[in-house]
Amino acid sequence: MVERYVMSIDQGTTSTRCILFDHRGRLVSVAQREHQQHFPRPGWVEHDAVEIWRNLGRVVPEALAGVGVGRDEITAIGIANQRETTVLWDRRTGTPLGKAIVWQDTRTAALVEDLRNHPGDDFFLERCCLPPSTYFSAPRIRWLFDHVEGLERRARDGEVLFGTIETWLIWNLTGGTAGGLHITDVTNASRTMLMNIRTLDWDEALLEFFGVPRVMLPEIRPSSQRYGEARSVLPGVPITAALGDQQAALFGQTCFAPGEAKCTYGTGSFLLQNTGTAVVRSRNGLLTTVAYKIADQPAAYALEGPIAVTGSLVQWFRDRLGLISSAPEIETLARTVEDNGGCYIVPAFSGLFAPHWRSDARGVIVGLTSYITKGHLARAVLEATGWQTREVVDAMNADSSLALKELKVDGGMTSDNLLMQFLADVLDVPVVRPLVAETVSLGAAYAAGLAAGYWPDLEVLRRNWHRAAQWLPDMDPAQRESEYDNWQRAVERSLGWIKPPNRP
């Protein structure tokens, strides 16, 4: 019997990967290509969408060659993607109208500040459950309309298409200018500030407010559903899933029940908790998002707490301060001391994300004395990730009746045992890491395989999940709360550092 596989395309912020998985959810082949990061002005971050599309065309045959199979052995394709990144392109030529504006880009800060003042957060929260932020796509579309002459008119005339990265890739894979599918899935649409979180359709009031014509928007589909067949790269292979990368990680960690949660620890970190079919509107600084939608089943929702700086703080410690020569060395250095020596680092390099959402915050180091060594600083760097996670978990527990009982983790930072133990200590719950670390790619593969009948149901996927490591809480409760109080006082000192323009 010929072995068949599911292909996952993981289009991330720094690279595009193609991974093949087998029936047991095991990674059998991987290929990866990085793409260039463009920083034309301070705060601007851009990608070349054509470069990303070309890289996809390179990594797919490399992954097939890695296991010696052809496209006939691929059952289905699933796509996971960096969320919120905005691509506009010409419907007739397929040419992007400028570089893609990346989710990290802050050029819309002034517009977002205006939105928070008028019409105010509630106007948006009632419809899309997202507060105004530079993070999301709609302000970028409005910014482009305001700064590129003739673009809004062309969009209204039906000449311009909008999409996040999965939309761009699916359109090109399925024919592009020759009838390519212009679609997105509910998880990505829920990050635009244009989709109604309850109806799962574009919201007329939001479209009117931002001045975005519906004709430029993709059709919203379930996350797991047969969309169509590829006509290039892998001709004839069905595309059956698309999810934003963090929702894909939730799916890959098999967090299918309300209350189950995962946190992905990378450059930044993203903690998502499944809230079932209930739309839980956060009152404590979290985002309400669509977790996934399988075919005609009701959508599952999630609370999300994005943390801007975690792994990148270790990179800063390495590259800017030069106190370590490689990221893994930080654990060794941190273990040279017993504690942080009273030192705390709040890494608000460009403001704070959840649960504070303060763009006026900047990074601080507090508690410095002549006693502090680089070992104490190293420990404070790692502990910053733990305390930021604690803030998000406290917000989730306050928003939802589903108190966190266990945290599933993935991402590069989970190889740091000291950090993982600290997480368990400050959260006071077990922290577990799965055997398959590529949870984003695995989630896209699982969703695609379900739609294609490669896997019959969610229970089979649960049985594929295996624990690789576990950390149990082992900190005195009084110490935990005392140090958390210190952390919160440190956060207070990071706030209000940046003054609004034209204010003395």
Side-chain angles (χ1 to χ4, degrees):
M1 180 178 174
V2 176
E3 181 69 76
R4 296 180 66 82
Y5 306 95
V6 173
M7 175 177 288
S8 178
I9 295 166
D10 178 2
Q11 203 302 296
T13 307
T14 59
S15 69
T16 301
R17 297 191 300 169
C18 179
I19 300 180
L20 303 185
F21 291 95
D22 67 12
H23 270 100
R24 297 171 69 179
R26 296 178 301 190
L27 186 156
V28 296
S29 182
V30 60
Q32 179 172 353
R33 294 273 181 128
E34 292 188 357
H35 55 265
Q36 187 174 351
Q37 308 293 311
H38 300 271
F39 306 101
R41 296 186 191 179
W44 291 27
V45 187
E46 297 178 343
H47 292 160
D48 183 342
V50 173
E51 180 188 8
I52 289 172
W53 165 238
R54 288 173 178 164
N55 283 350
L56 174 61
R58 295 183 177 108
V59 295
V60 167
E62 289 173 8
L64 294 174
V67 72
V69 299
R71 68 173 187 262
D72 291 344
E73 283 76 57
I74 305 303
T75 298
I77 302 168
I79 299 174
N81 59 283
Q82 53 167 314
R83 303 174 302 175
E84 300 99 14
T85 295
T86 300
V87 188
L88 299 185
W89 68 96
D90 187 298
R91 181 192 297 268
R92 182 178 57 83
T93 67
T95 304
L97 302 173
K99 296 282 197 301
I101 304 179
V102 178
W103 60 273
Q104 300 158 313
D105 189 285
T106 59
R107 73 184 69 184
T108 60
L111 171 60
V112 165
E113 190 65 30
D114 289 343
L115 297 180
R116 304 208 76 159
N117 293 324
H118 180 77
D121 289 5
D122 283 347
F123 174 80
F124 302 102
L125 291 171
E126 289 169 6
R127 293 166 174 82
C128 63
C129 278
L130 300 176
S133 171
T134 60
Y135 200 19
F136 305 119
S137 309
R140 296 198 184 99
I141 300 174
R142 185 65 256 167
W143 188 95
L144 286 166
F145 284 174
D146 292 341
H147 289 81
V148 179
E149 186 176 355
L151 181 60
E152 183 171 5
R153 176 191 55 76
R154 293 188 63 201
R156 294 195 178 283
D157 289 343
E159 298 175 15
V160 176
L161 298 179
F162 156 79
T164 41
I165 292 292
E166 89 296 344
T167 298
W168 165 249
L169 294 180
I170 292 171
W171 187 79
N172 280 288
L173 280 168
T174 57
T177 57
L181 291 172
H182 187 218
I183 62 174
T184 186
D185 93 295
V186 289
T187 67
N188 282 291
S190 75
R191 313 294 293 194
T192 60
M193 291 188 71
L194 295 174
M195 188 190 84
N196 187 293
I197 196 73
R198 295 171 179 83
T199 66
L200 306 182
D201 194 7
W202 303 118
D203 186 276
E204 289 298 337
L206 293 171
L207 297 185
E208 182 179 354
F209 178 83
F210 283 108
V212 174
R214 185 182 278 262
V215 68
M216 75 182 299
L217 298 176
E219 178 188 352
I220 301 174
R221 298 279 197 91
S223 313
S224 177
Q225 181 190 64
R226 186 184 176 98
Y227 303 143
E229 291 185 353
R231 294 172 61 184
S232 65
V233 184
L234 280 173
V237 179
I239 302 169
T240 58
L243 301 96
D245 53 8
Q246 299 310 318
Q247 286 94 333
L250 188 78
F251 208 84
Q253 287 273 32
T254 67
C255 294
F256 302 136
E260 294 182 331
K262 72 87 196 177
C263 192
T264 299
Y265 289 97
T267 302
S269 295
F270 299 85
L271 203 161
L272 275 74
Q273 181 188 55
N274 188 322
T275 61
T277 56
V279 178
V280 178
R281 179 173 164 183
S282 177
R283 304 289 179 180
N284 294 279
L286 302 179
L287 305 178
T288 303
T289 194
V290 180
Y292 55 84
K293 186 178 190 304
I294 300 172
D296 296 329
Q297 298 177 25
Y301 293 89
L303 284 171
E304 175 176 339
I307 304 169
V309 176
T310 52
S312 57
L313 183 60
V314 176
Q315 294 171 336
W316 170 82
F317 194 74
R318 178 194 66 195
D319 299 337
R320 299 297 186 182
L321 299 190
L323 294 174
I324 54 175
S325 58
S326 66
E329 288 179 30
I330 195 164
E331 180 177 5
T332 303
L333 181 57
R335 288 187 182 277
T336 63
V337 294
E338 290 297 317
D339 53 37
N340 62 19
C343 176
Y344 297 83
I345 298 176
V346 181
F349 290 163
S350 55
L352 290 171
F353 280 12
H356 304 283
W357 298 105
R358 292 288 295 267
S359 59
D360 62 338
R362 285 299 179 268
V364 297
I365 303 176
V366 300
L368 286 178
T369 65
S370 57
Y371 171 72
I372 297 299
T373 67
K374 61 182 181 181
H376 294 107
L377 290 174
R379 189 171 279 260
V381 164
L382 295 179
E383 291 183 355
T385 291
W387 292 125
Q388 289 182 103
T389 305
R390 167 71 185 268
E391 289 182 314
V392 170
V393 168
D394 279 2
M396 282 186 175
N397 288 341
D399 276 333
S400 169
S401 60
L402 306 166
L404 185 71
K405 296 179 180 178
E406 174 187 82
L407 182 63
K408 292 181 175 181
V409 296
D410 52 77
M413 295 186 81
T414 61
S415 61
D416 190 313
N417 287 287
L418 180 63
L419 172 59
M420 293 298 103
Q421 182 59 53
F422 186 73
L423 274 175
D425 287 341
V426 301
L427 299 180
D428 197 26
V429 298
V431 171
V432 293
R433 184 178 68 207
L435 198 59
V436 177
E438 307 294 343
T439 56
V440 171
S441 299
L442 182 59
Y446 277 169
L450 278 175
Y454 187 78
W455 290 292
D457 53 40
L458 297 181
E459 192 53 43
V460 169
L461 304 183
R462 278 192 182 279
R463 290 200 295 268
N464 278 345
W465 193 95
H466 298 287
R467 186 177 70 199
Q470 176 176 259
W471 296 267
L472 302 176
D474 185 29
M475 179 182 280
D476 177 72
Q479 178 190 358
R480 179 189 303 122
E481 296 314 308
S482 173
E483 291 196 29
Y484 189 35
D485 179 66
N486 289 341
W487 166 261
Q488 291 174 312
R489 292 192 295 131
V491 170
E492 289 174 8
R493 285 153 177 79
S494 76
L495 304 177
W497 187 256
I498 300 298
K499 295 180 179 179
N502 303 321
R503 182 178 294 180

